[in-house]
Every structure is written in C-alpha cells, then in structure tokens.
Amino acid sequence: MLSDPSTIPLSSRTLNHLADRIRAHRRQHRSRWRRLAPGRQALLALAHLRNGDTYTRLAAGFAVGVATAWRYVQEAIVLLAAAAEDLATAMRRIRRLAYAILDGTLIPIDRVADQKPHYSGKHKRHGMNVQVIADPAGRLVWASPALPGSTHDLTAARTHGIIDALTSADVMTFADKGYQGARGSVRTPFKRRRFRPKLSRRQKTVNRAHARIRARGERAIAT
C-alpha cells in the first residue's frame, strides 16, 4: 500500500487542545487501553474534520479499523461540542463590544439521502447554514449550531434567537442584505426596490461604509 503524507492547515495549539480534552475524558471515565494515544486520536479527528479524509483512508493511515476510526472521530466531535459556548454565555462578551458583525456561511457537506433541505440555492451546493458573530476587528466571538443549508440567513438568526439577544443587549450589529427586516439593533444596507430603483448619493456612501465594516467579518468566517 502506498503512503501519501499530507498536511493539516491547523496549529499545534489546536492539536494539543483537543488531545488534552481527550486525555481528560479518558481519565474521567477510567478508560481502558486504547489503540491510539490521545495525541494520535486528536490528529486522526482533525484530519477528518479539516481535510475531509474518509474513514477508510484514516483507518489505513493510523492502522486501526474503520469502525474504530469512526468512533474516535465521533468522540472528538462530542468533546469539542461540549466546550462551545451557548449564545447566552457569549452575550456577556458581545454586549461589551462597540458593535458586532453578523453573517452567515455555508459549510459544504456530502450529499445525503434527503438532499432538498440541505441544498442552498444561493450557493448552488449542499451544506449547513452556520451563523457567525464577529467583533469590530473581525475576530470570531460565537458560531451557532448548524441548520440545513436551505435555511435563509434571517430565518436562521431568528431560530437561534440571535436577533432578540443582540437587541436586548443593545449591541449595534452590522449585517448584509440577507438580514433585511430583522429590525431591532441590526443594521443592513439600503436596498433598491421597485418604488426606489436608484439609491441616493448619501445611501450609496452609507452602503460603502457599511460594506467596509462587514468585510472584517470575513476573517471570522474563515476562522
């Protein structure tokens, strides 16, 4: 069998973080001997999550069974999910911001049996909708649980209670045209309509400034 070495575009800090969580989980449950050490299990899980390596390839590369590779990845996902903050906890930091940036992104997935709910007409592919809140510097503050890719950004934000939370905290939030109608503390660009086919010079200036602020949120999306 040929060996194909590859890289994972993540820092060693990420690997150590996940390995520490796996190590603590094993101590807590007094887990018996495992085929892979915590660091190797973390590497296997990150190879799947970041590079999309299949369970078959991971099993061959780490010299474990396919079922074992699947079990190791699922265990890592549960541990990572447990470490994530909920919106209420994140709002303690968000309400101290000068303003926030709200955006949605599509995380690509493989096709599934019931394809329609996961197909995004905007992106023309299957995926999951994740809502992201960034600070003024574009740093990731909070990411929502995933919803099927066909979910509109405004619907997703309302489903997660993001609009109400930001409004209650009185945090001015910049978002794109996909959040038109959100109201509350969410600010969106001016949009041309049937009765307003052209934007005024002032509205165009406001939209350009709005776009410059929102562009920083792309850094959080990339994170």
Side-chain angles (χ1 to χ4, degrees), residues 1 48 53-62 64-67 69-70:
M1 180 178 292
H48 175 75
D53 288 348
T54 64
Y55 294 119
T56 302
R57 289 185 60 184
L58 290 171
F62 286 84
V64 296
V66 175
W70 179 87

Side-chain angles (χ1 to χ4, degrees), residues 17-161:
H17 173 75
L18 179 54
D20 288 344
R21 290 197 167 274
I22 293 173
R23 196 172 291 111
H25 176 74
R26 292 185 182 184
R27 283 199 303 265
Q28 181 182 356
H29 291 81
R30 297 181 180 178
S31 180
R32 288 185 171 186
W33 175 85
R34 298 284 193 98
R35 187 65 180 262
L36 295 182
R40 294 286 288 171
Q41 180 181 347
L43 185 61
L44 181 151
L46 293 176
H48 175 75
L49 295 174
R50 192 67 180 88
N51 289 353
D53 288 348
T54 64
Y55 294 119
T56 302
R57 289 185 60 184
L58 290 171
F62 286 84
V64 296
V66 175
T68 300
W70 179 87
R71 187 170 63 253
Y72 278 167
V73 170
Q74 297 306 310
E75 184 178 58
I77 290 174
V78 170
L79 294 175
L80 288 172
E85 292 182 341
D86 58 16
L87 182 58
T89 303
M91 284 306 302
R92 298 171 189 168
R93 290 183 291 134
I94 294 172
R95 63 168 50 96
R96 295 197 295 266
L97 300 176
Y99 60 85
I101 303 169
L102 173 62
D103 202 356
T105 186
L106 188 80
I107 307 299
I109 62 170
D110 293 332
R111 292 193 174 191
V112 292
D114 188 8
Q115 298 178 19
K116 188 173 181 180
H118 298 86
Y119 185 77
S120 169
K122 176 182 176 181
H123 298 89
K124 307 300 181 184
R125 66 181 306 171
H126 295 81
M128 302 296 289
N129 180 301
V130 175
Q131 298 294 298
V132 173
I133 299 178
D135 68 9
R139 291 179 296 245
L140 177 64
V141 179
W142 183 78
S144 75
L147 292 175
S150 61
T151 309
H152 190 276
D153 280 339
L154 179 55
T155 301
R158 284 174 170 163
T159 299
H160 296 304

Side-chain angles (χ1 to χ4, degrees), residues 185-201:
S185 63
V186 177
R187 301 291 180 265
T188 57
F190 289 103
K191 188 177 182 180
R192 288 186 296 178
R193 302 182 185 280
R194 184 184 304 174
F195 59 85
R196 189 176 61 198
K198 292 184 179 181
L199 299 180
S200 67
R201 182 178 299 178

Side-chain angles (χ1 to χ4, degrees), residues 205-219:
T205 301
V206 171
N207 278 5
R208 283 194 292 270
H210 200 286
R212 284 195 295 270
I213 293 173
R214 294 197 330 271
R216 299 168 193 163
E218 292 300 323
R219 177 181 173 188

